[in-house]
Each structure stands twice: as structure tokens, then as C-alpha cells.
């Protein structure tokens, strides 16, 4: 048999708690345990302020996640895929030109030569692929920035297990950071 203890409350608060406990539990002890469990499980404090109800918070988080997904898709469509297409077209153009080396300008400094070893040990020139040095360095620098930004955003995504349904992802970046990524994507 459980023993009971007395706690003193103001009459107005005690009456309010009694009405509440009738709605959520069979007795006052069970109602109080449910409330304490809720605060402990969700690591909340009664003094914490939640802007709106949990449903509106969930909607805001889903919007943030959808915005992050849109940013990532935009990066892929506006930067990664066009860059790959440009490099592919450069390689295809090089193959179409064949052995004609007169088209090489002085501004092209990076030349990658692919050799095939023949049985005699001599090296024979197969293909010359050229990429302008400035363009290559710029693409490489942009790729490093994109990787760093993407890694930062991925590190800010946290998995949240919801007791009211499926778990969801929470993106923990400030609105200023989100605006910075939007500007970066719109102005490559």
C-alpha cells in the first residue's frame, strides 16, 4: 500500500488541479506523475515558452526542413549538374578535335596527358584534355565552399522522436544563416 503525503496549495490552484486531473487521469497522483514525466521526457521546464502549440511548431520545423531540401536541390541543379555538363562538353569537344593541336591558346596552362604504354616501353600520346587554369581554380574553390556549407547544414539537422506520431528532422540554423545560404545560391 502506498503512503500519501500532503502538499499545501492555494485553494484556487487546488481546485484547478482537481478539474484537470479528472480529465487526464484516474486520480491526482497519476495526473501529477503524468505531468512530471512529460516535462522530464521532453526536457522542458514549466518556465519555457513555446510559441504556439506543438502542431504549429511541427509545421514550422517541416517548413524549415523543406526549405533546406529546396536549397540542396537548387545547389545540385544550378551548380553541380551544370558544372558536370560543362566538363563533359569540354571532354567531348577535345575528342572531336582529334589530333589538331592548333586550337590551344596561350591562356590554357593545365594540360593533362594520357599515355599508353606500348610493348616497346615507349609512351604514345593518346588524348590531351585542357581546362583553363583560372576556371579550374574557381570551380575547385566553389566546390570546397559548397561542401563546407552542406556539411555545416547537415550537422545542424537533428532527429527528434515525437511521442505524438512519427519522428522528424529538426534544422537548427538561424534565420540569418538561412538567408545567407539563399543569397549564396541565387548569386553564385
Amino acid at each position: 500500500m502506498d503512503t500519501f503525503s500532503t502538499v499545501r496549495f492555494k485553494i484556487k490552484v487546488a481546485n484547478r488541479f482537481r478539474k484537470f486531473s479528472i480529465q487526464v487521469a484516474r486520480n491526482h497522483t497519476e495526473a501529477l506523475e503524468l505531468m512530471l514525466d512529460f516535462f522530464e521526457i521532453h526536457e522542458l521546464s514549466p518556465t519555457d515558452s513555446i510559441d504556439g502549440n506543438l502542431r504549429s511548431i511541427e509545421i514550422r520545423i517541416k517548413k524549415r526542413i523543406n526549405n533546406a531540401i529546396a536549397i540542396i536541390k537548387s545547389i545540385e541543379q544550378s551548380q553541380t549538374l551544370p558544372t558536370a555538363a560543362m566538363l563533359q562538353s569540354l571532354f567531348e569537344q577535345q575528342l572531336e578535335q582529334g589530333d589538331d593541336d592548333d586550337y590551344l591558346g596561350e591562356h590554357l596552362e593545365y594540360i593533362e596527358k594520357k599515355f599508353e604504354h606500348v610493348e616497346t616501353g615507349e609512351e604514345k600520346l593518346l588524348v590531351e584534355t585542357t581546362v583553363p587554369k583560372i576556371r579550374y581554380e574557381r570551380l575547385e574553390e566553389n566546390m570546397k565552399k559548397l561542401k563546407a556549407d552542406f556539411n555545416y547544414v547537415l550537422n545542424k539537422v537533428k532527429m527528434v522522436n515525437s511521442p505524438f506520431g512519427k519522428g522528424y528532422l529538426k534544422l537548427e540554423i538561424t534565420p540569418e544563416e538561412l538567408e545567407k545560404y539563399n543569397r549564396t545560391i541565387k548569386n553564385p
Side-chain angles (χ1 to χ4, degrees):
M1 180 96 195
D2 290 330
T3 59
F4 291 91
S5 174
T6 335
V7 179
R8 294 175 50 129
F9 294 106
K10 292 182 180 180
I11 293 173
K12 185 177 178 183
V13 174
N15 289 335
R16 188 172 160 207
F17 177 73
R18 284 185 187 111
K19 288 178 186 176
F20 175 77
S21 83
I22 289 170
Q23 294 173 356
V24 296
R26 290 180 290 178
N27 57 45
H28 301 311
T29 303
E30 191 176 315
L32 190 57
E33 280 183 349
L34 288 172
M35 290 185 340
L36 292 173
D37 289 344
F38 176 81
F39 285 117
E40 288 174 357
I41 288 170
H42 298 292
E43 297 177 3
L44 293 173
S45 168
T47 59
D48 289 345
S49 174
I50 299 176
D51 298 332
N53 59 23
L54 293 176
R55 181 69 181 144
S56 66
I57 292 171
E58 182 180 3
I59 290 170
R60 277 189 283 163
I61 290 171
K62 285 182 179 179
K63 284 182 182 178
R64 285 186 179 179
I65 291 170
N66 289 339
N67 287 342
I69 291 170
I71 290 170
I72 293 167
K73 284 183 179 179
S74 175
I75 289 171
E76 181 181 355
Q77 290 175 352
S78 66
Q79 295 175 5
T80 308
L81 294 177
T83 302
M86 284 188 286
L87 290 173
Q88 183 66 29
S89 68
L90 282 173
F91 291 133
E92 288 173 1
Q93 180 184 10
Q94 179 64 32
L95 291 174
E96 290 172 4
Q97 299 260 341
D99 293 332
D100 185 15
D101 292 335
D102 294 336
Y103 70 96
L104 293 175
E106 295 177 5
H107 63 283
L108 301 175
E109 295 181 17
Y110 272 40
I111 299 176
E112 180 183 325
K113 296 180 180 179
K114 297 181 181 181
F115 294 95
E116 178 182 89
H117 297 283
V118 292
E119 293 178 8
T120 61
E122 296 178 13
E123 296 179 345
K124 181 181 176 185
L125 178 62
L126 286 181
V127 178
E128 277 188 12
T129 305
T130 59
V131 178
K133 182 178 181 181
I134 295 171
R135 184 165 185 80
Y136 173 79
E137 289 172 350
R138 194 175 305 140
L139 289 173
E140 196 172 58
E141 183 180 316
N142 286 341
M143 184 59 81
K144 285 180 185 177
K145 287 179 185 177
L146 283 173
K147 283 182 180 179
D149 288 346
F150 188 69
N151 192 22
Y152 178 79
V153 170
L154 284 179
N155 287 333
K156 293 294 184 172
V157 175
K158 305 294 180 204
M159 180 66 179
V160 178
N161 293 324
S162 174
F164 303 112
K166 293 191 315 185
Y168 55 89
L169 300 175
K170 178 180 180 182
L171 181 60
E172 297 176 338
I173 62 173
T174 63
E176 293 81 19
E177 290 173 318
L178 182 62
E179 183 61 32
K180 178 187 125 190
Y181 292 128
N182 279 332
R183 280 195 312 269
T184 302
I185 289 171
K186 290 178 183 173
N187 303 320

